[in-house]
Amino acid sequence: MRTDTGHVFKLEDYRPSDYLILQTSLVFRLSPEATRVIATLTIERREGVAASAPLVLDGDGLTLLGIAIDGRDLQPQDYAATPDELAVLKPPAASRFELVLETEIAPARNEALMGLYRSSNVYCTQCEAEGFRRITYFLDRPDILSIYTVRIEAPHNEAPLLLSNGNPVDSGALADGWHYAVWHDPFPKPSYLFALVAGALGKVADSFTTLSGRTVELGIYVEPGKERLAGYAMDALKRSMKWDEEAFGREYDLDVFNIVAVSDFNMGAMENKGLNIFNDKYVLADEETATDADFANIEAIIAHEYFHNWTGNRITCRDWFQLCLKEGLTVYRDHEFSADQRSRAVKRIAEVRTLRAHQFPEDQGPLAHPVRPRRYREINNFYTATVYEKGSEVVRMIRTILGAEAFRAGMDLYFERHDGEAATIEDFLKVFEDASGRDLSQFALWYHQAGTPNLTVSSSHNARAKEFTLEIEQSVPPTPSESRKRLMHIPLGFGLVGAGGKPVSYDDVEGATVDNGVIHIRKRRHVVRFTGVAERPAVSLNRGFSAPVTLSVEQKTDDQFFLAGHDSDSFSRWQAFNTLLTDALIAAFRQVLGGKPPAFAQRLTELAGRIAADETLEPAYRALALSLPGEADIARDIGKGIDPDAILAAREALALAIARANRENFTGLYERLADKGPFSPDAASAGRRALRNILLDYLALLPEGAALAATHFRSASNMTDRAAALTVLAHRHAGSAEAQQALADFEAKYRNDALVMDKWFQIQAGVPGSKTVETVRALTGHPAFSMANPNRVRSLIGTFSSANQTGFHRADGEGYRFFAETVLEVEKRNPQVAARLATALRSWRSLEPGRQAKAREALLAIAAAQNLSADLRDIVERTLA
Ligand code: PHE
Ligand code: ZN
């Protein structure tokens, strides 16, 4: 484990390395406890660098067994090797030379899952961000692009399959039952994209013919016997390849494209050139074991990793500060893909919900950082919602500002200008400026300045002058180490909505640039005057969620109801209803704190009923509208003095009011929506299931609700319905006989299916209330649980700490104590996963004083532990700062 050195990496310190590595040839002799790695590196001194400059390579926990240059072994005084660094003190005078290194590593003992490790007897690698240095000494930084040739040797019976990046070039038998394979990747790449897989795996094969007529062999490798479960992933891969050709003109470039699913993986998946490695959760699916959400995630992540081939691999990042260059852009691309494959309107709402749930709290708390950070202590901690999700929103805004055509021209220029390079955000912005002639210098602040901007908006109508006025003021809250903020360029989508939802026309507008339904906010305050407006319109703001901002609007309740029923922009229509729900919930929260049961306006519960039954709306959209703001969403909107128990009470009261007011309507709909015919994972079918399952969630609150959910559970013919019913039983009827029975049945049926058992852990970890901490503690001893497996840890511990407000924030602090203990236990094996878990306390300062003090104690307890990893120390210290 790398312990903390306290070193801070700074963007302004970037400088090119003195040496380049033109060619990298690797030989692996695989063995669980002692794998030999022989690296032959063609090194070139950069022009202008003195011949005396030492060559300093990165390592991490390595043992050096041999070192030679141009065929001659080095003498001890010629180099200095520690586990974490190798310095060649007197490199040859020639500007180019060949360095041969031999190291030994133990994949079976690698529980951090970075570098070369074993997952269920399969050898696999994870090198992003700095894992390659755990395999051999190297210039392990993304601006060192090298051409790789990889030879893998292993016993044939243990590892019949030997894979690496690029194209296969040779293979054959060796003595003693060993065999070998050689792979060559013609595209220069950074070390973080290196991959190797060896083991016994089942294969699903297919092929794809590219736009220009080349045939690509596709392979998805899974645990033997699970091939059947890879069909959906393969289909998603072929659709992704086609879409990238159509939407971005991007063709695949190697003869083969392989995906391997492994069961121990720190993240979702990894875009290694020609050899993507996936968390098996994002590959394996059928109706019996995967929910509709799982299918949608698989489709999105398969696409995401595939799209990286151009945005990340062909054009990579100069340094890790530029991470959003590949991640934000690739998330944007996978969002667009899913929008095209499914329902654009529904996808947009889901994206915004995710952004608000994950990125907003990050941006509003102690871990806030710009989309392109300027400093880091541990880069692993910057794979964040800000870099990914906000990074994607920034790309979307570029498209909004430029328009579709100029955006595409900019992307084309990006691919043309920077193919084969390691680029920066400045390079990225420049292609759009060059392609459109626009000045994006103020817009660039979206990359450089942290914090969620707020827009305060008020409106007035002067009937006599036929003038409608919007006063808009921007502010960006202070964030850690950035107390003063500069004014941003915010593209604010809007609409003036008149009777029946029709757009209201106007003659002229002054006070801001307005084009294509977008007001360009650039100053602190704009007074935007629309002339020729006879009737007072309702104003629909941030249409399509054109900018990732918060809004403070004085909006008449009548206008909100009107927009919730009539806005022609589907996102804003959803938003209007969601705002009404949020306002009602916040009012109810205050009533609960005042000791009164909350009351809800009939108007609101009636509107919920009308939306549920509105056949002109897609079922998936109706399901999203009916799913109440989560407890964490409500907490965020309240801001300070959070008491999760009061929030839960308010939320349950509103759900009950909606259910009571709509009993017959919901029951009828619920019955009509029952799945007929065979299962299909398509978006429309998934939408119908989603609507039916949210109706179940309401109906389960009424008398006989537990029996209804139990019937739903027993008669379910797919995992979506089964998991939904189990959630309703466990969360709404915790401890009931029906809930106990369903949990036991589920366990008995799936005890040998780890991914399905994750759902069982997750559902129980999410049970609201004070008892859950004990349940979760007990479940850590369940035979299907393991502290060494990231999926298990995230399902049980991650769900409890980041998705169970009342359980985790138990008033006596027991949730926090359990959490601190567990984070430290996970850290011993896997610092990266522990650090991510630890972010669950990032909003601790918004809690009410009692919980706040207890949360702080837990953070201090983690901080006081001996030999903390760089990963965990970084998170805990920033959280406490
Ligand atoms: N680069 C991966 C992706 O977003 C994420 C990842 C980061 C995976 C670090 C593993 C380690 O597609
Ligand atoms: Zn990515």
Side-chain angles (χ1 to χ4, degrees):
M1 178 169 98
R2 262 196 292 173
T3 48
D4 187 44
T5 59
H7 185 74
V8 176
F9 295 86
K10 298 183 181 142
L11 173 61
E12 67 260 30
D13 290 346
Y14 173 84
R15 64 176 198 95
S17 61
D18 289 345
Y19 292 89
L20 304 173
I21 304 178
L22 305 179
Q23 307 266 349
T24 299
S25 154
L26 301 169
V27 178
F28 286 85
R29 272 184 211 118
L30 294 174
S31 159
E33 295 290 335
T35 288
R36 282 293 164 97
V37 184
I38 300 158
T40 304
L41 312 177
T42 306
I43 309 260
E44 189 175 80
R45 187 178 296 111
R46 210 185 277 273
E47 232 178 296
V49 172
S52 59
L55 168 65
V56 183
L57 303 179
D58 306 300
D60 183 357
L62 291 175
T63 311
L64 182 69
L65 298 182
I67 176 166
I69 287 182
D70 292 334
R72 256 190 257 156
D73 287 347
L74 292 200
Q75 299 305 304
Q77 68 273 16
D78 295 338
Y79 68 94
T82 69
D84 300 340
E85 192 175 278
L86 171 65
V88 177
L89 303 170
K90 292 187 213 88
S95 67
R96 199 181 273 203
F97 54 93
E98 194 181 85
L99 173 66
V100 179
L101 301 171
E102 188 166 351
T103 48
E104 188 178 281
I105 51 181
R109 272 181 279 132
N110 180 351
E111 290 191 288
L113 314 184
M114 285 288 272
L116 177 67
Y117 65 95
R118 299 265 280 173
S119 173
S120 311
N121 297 323
V122 174
Y123 292 92
C124 62
T125 53
Q126 174 52 46
C127 292
E128 187 178 6
E130 297 177 337
F132 193 72
R133 62 184 67 183
R134 290 161 63 91
I135 294 173
T136 187
Y137 294 101
F138 205 75
L139 291 172
D140 191 14
R141 44 188 282 173
D143 61 347
I144 295 294
L145 306 183
S146 188
I147 294 180
Y148 286 67
T149 306
V150 179
R151 179 185 164 101
I152 312 166
E153 301 180 4
H156 191 282
N157 62 344
E158 285 169 30
L161 176 76
L162 306 172
L163 301 175
S164 190
N165 315 90
N167 298 316
V169 291
D170 189 18
S171 64
L174 296 168
D176 302 324
W178 281 54
H179 72 145
Y180 74 94
V182 180
W183 291 78
H184 178 73
D185 181 358
F187 294 95
K189 65 168 176 287
S191 51
Y192 81 86
L193 291 174
F194 166 78
L196 172 159
V197 170
L201 289 156
K203 178 178 188 181
V204 177
D206 208 325
S207 70
F208 179 82
T209 306
T210 67
L211 198 58
S212 65
R214 284 188 322 100
T215 305
V216 183
E217 300 302 331
L218 309 177
I220 300 187
Y221 295 88
V222 299
E223 196 182 302
K226 298 201 166 158
E227 294 83 352
R228 200 175 57 68
L229 299 176
Y232 185 78
M234 182 61 91
D235 180 57
L237 173 60
K238 290 189 287 180
R239 285 186 281 122
S240 306
M241 295 177 86
K242 182 133 181 49
W243 185 89
D244 212 15
E245 295 183 340
E246 288 166 356
F248 283 92
R250 297 297 109 199
E251 236 184 278
Y252 187 63
D253 51 11
L254 289 164
D255 304 335
V256 299
F257 186 76
N258 287 318
I259 291 176
V260 178
V262 299
S263 25
D264 301 83
F265 201 75
N266 283 347
M267 308 278 269
M270 180 62 210
E271 69 263 24
N272 317 301
K273 183 77 185 189
L275 178 54
N276 290 357
I277 298 181
F278 269 63
N279 185 328
D280 58 2
K281 171 179 164 66
Y282 297 118
V283 173
L284 304 174
D286 69 356
E287 65 200 81
E288 181 56 36
T289 54
T291 61
D292 290 327
D294 294 327
F295 281 103
N297 281 332
I298 290 170
E299 179 179 84
I301 296 176
I302 291 272
H304 180 97
E305 306 311 332
Y306 174 73
F307 296 158
H308 267 314
N309 191 55
W310 274 96
T311 50
N313 301 3
R314 290 286 289 255
I315 305 179
T316 194
C317 303
R318 187 193 72 174
D319 52 67
W320 291 119
F321 297 101
Q322 320 295 329
L323 184 57
C324 62
L325 178 71
K326 71 177 179 81
E327 295 304 347
L329 176 55
T330 305
V331 170
Y332 171 73
R333 278 151 54 68
D334 85 57
H335 282 177
E336 284 297 296
F337 168 74
S338 294
D340 282 346
Q341 302 282 313
R342 293 172 171 248
S343 153
R344 183 164 284 273
V346 168
K347 175 67 181 158
R348 189 64 187 140
I349 296 166
E351 283 161 17
V352 174
R353 284 186 83 138
T354 307
L355 184 84
R356 287 191 178 136
H358 300 286
Q359 200 277 326
F360 277 24
E362 184 166 86
D363 229 354
Q364 293 162 8
L367 302 180
H369 54 275
V371 173
R372 187 181 72 185
R374 274 178 299 275
R375 301 187 158 12
Y376 62 77
R377 274 165 77 175
E378 175 51 64
I379 188 59
N380 286 336
N381 290 337
F382 281 81
Y383 289 78
T384 61
T386 297
V387 168
Y388 277 66
E389 265 72 36
K390 188 175 181 182
S392 163
E393 293 301 321
V394 176
V395 176
R396 182 178 298 278
M397 285 190 284
I398 296 177
R399 188 178 185 278
T400 301
I401 291 170
L402 265 53
E405 240 171 79
F407 176 75
R408 176 63 198 269
M411 285 302 301
D412 289 348
L413 183 57
Y414 178 64
F415 294 125
E416 189 190 310
R417 190 182 278 175
H418 297 291
D419 186 14
E421 289 181 8
T424 62
I425 284 302
E426 282 73 15
D427 295 330
F428 185 65
L429 285 165
K430 185 80 168 54
V431 297
F432 293 108
E433 292 191 320
D434 291 353
S436 69
R438 306 276 280 251
D439 173 5
L440 295 175
S441 49
Q442 188 184 11
F443 179 82
L445 281 178
W446 280 104
Y447 282 109
H448 308 321
Q449 193 162 269
T452 308
N454 180 261
L455 294 176
T456 306
V457 186
S458 62
S459 64
S460 60
H461 183 246
N462 182 334
R464 240 182 321 120
K466 294 192 183 169
E467 242 181 44
F468 182 69
T469 306
L470 286 174
E471 289 192 35
I472 308 173
E473 203 170 308
Q474 67 161 298
S475 64
V476 187
T479 50
S481 76
E482 290 177 11
S483 49
R484 291 177 61 103
K485 302 284 185 174
R486 291 192 281 157
L487 295 171
M488 318 259 302
H489 175 186
I490 301 171
L492 181 69
F494 81 106
L496 305 184
V497 188
K502 299 246 158 43
V504 168
S505 63
Y506 52 87
D507 295 340
D508 227 336
V509 55
E510 58 179 55
T513 308
V514 176
D515 58 38
N516 293 318
V518 173
I519 305 173
H520 293 269
I521 309 293
R522 290 167 170 277
K523 301 189 291 180
R524 176 165 317 283
R525 184 160 174 276
H526 290 258
V527 179
V528 188
R529 236 182 280 282
F530 298 86
T531 58
V533 182
E535 297 275 322
R536 189 186 72 84
V539 58
S540 162
L541 289 168
N542 209 15
R543 279 193 156 173
F545 200 69
S546 60
V549 300
T550 52
L551 291 177
S552 311
V553 196
E554 285 168 40
Q555 184 100 311
K556 292 194 171 62
T557 308
D558 281 349
D559 281 357
Q560 288 288 17
F561 271 99
F562 173 70
L563 291 171
H566 297 284
D567 200 321
S568 62
D569 180 274
S570 60
F571 172 79
S572 292
R573 185 170 172 186
W574 168 83
Q575 180 63 68
F577 184 54
N578 199 260
T579 303
L580 286 166
L581 293 171
T582 303
D583 291 349
L585 286 163
I586 293 175
F589 166 79
R590 308 220 186 282
Q591 284 174 315
V592 171
L593 285 184
K596 278 188 292 173
F600 294 95
Q602 204 184 341
R603 219 176 153 188
L604 187 63
T605 58
E606 275 173 14
L607 180 55
R610 271 204 304 286
I611 291 174
D614 187 342
E615 301 285 341
T616 67
L617 299 169
E618 294 171 80
Y621 175 96
R622 291 186 259 159
L624 278 175
L626 291 174
S627 82
L628 297 181
E631 292 155 53
D633 298 318
I634 305 165
R636 205 174 49 252
D637 281 323
I638 293 169
K640 272 204 279 294
I642 297 309
D643 173 349
D645 294 325
I647 291 177
L648 178 69
R651 192 171 182 272
E652 288 190 331
L654 176 56
L656 185 61
I658 291 176
R660 283 191 177 138
N662 293 285
R663 171 172 204 145
E664 276 167 37
N665 172 9
F666 281 9
T667 306
L669 262 173
Y670 172 82
E671 278 160 12
R672 283 199 299 286
L673 282 162
D675 249 350
K676 296 170 201 81
F679 177 89
S680 163
D682 72 272
S685 311
R688 281 191 297 276
R689 284 187 286 271
L691 178 55
R692 186 163 189 261
N693 286 326
I694 188 106
L695 293 171
L696 171 70
D697 191 33
Y698 283 106
L699 293 170
L701 297 169
L702 300 174
E704 310 303 318
L708 179 70
T711 306
H712 191 112
F713 179 79
R714 280 194 306 272
S715 59
S717 58
N718 57 69
M719 183 50 76
T720 302
D721 291 338
R722 193 171 293 122
L726 186 62
T727 306
V728 167
L729 285 168
H731 292 195
R732 303 287 199 194
H733 296 279
S736 67
E738 288 91 342
Q740 295 308 105
Q741 187 62 50
L743 283 167
D745 290 352
F746 193 98
E747 181 190 13
K749 189 159 176 189
Y750 298 109
R751 64 168 78 245
N752 296 318
D753 189 329
L755 291 177
V756 182
M757 285 303 281
D758 282 344
K759 301 183 195 306
W760 188 76
F761 287 127
Q762 210 175 323
I763 289 169
Q764 294 181 82
V767 174
S770 60
K771 296 203 183 109
T772 304
V773 63
E774 270 89 38
T775 315
V776 171
R777 199 188 280 280
L779 284 172
T780 59
H782 191 279
F785 185 79
S786 160
M787 282 290 180
N789 180 285
N791 286 357
R792 299 307 89 75
V793 170
R794 281 187 287 253
S795 298
L796 187 63
I797 318 296
T799 302
F800 174 67
S801 53
S802 67
N804 186 340
Q805 300 297 306
T806 50
F808 179 50
H809 300 285
R810 196 168 101 168
D812 67 359
E814 189 52 28
Y816 306 144
R817 277 191 292 277
F818 167 72
F819 168 79
E821 237 170 71
T822 314
V823 165
L824 288 171
E825 194 179 333
V826 172
E827 194 218 20
K828 285 187 233 146
R829 301 185 154 102
N830 193 326
Q832 207 180 330
V833 169
R836 188 162 284 252
L837 268 187
T839 63
L841 269 182
R842 65 184 169 199
S843 302
W844 66 281
R845 279 198 180 87
S846 58
L847 295 162
E848 51 78 24
R851 285 176 171 88
Q852 208 178 111
K854 296 194 167 71
R856 183 163 177 272
E857 275 169 37
L859 285 164
L860 289 172
I862 297 176
Q866 297 291 303
N867 298 322
L868 273 198
S869 60
D871 308 61
L872 190 53
R873 175 154 314 280
D874 171 44
I875 293 292
V876 173
E877 288 187 357
R878 278 194 286 147
T879 304
L880 282 165

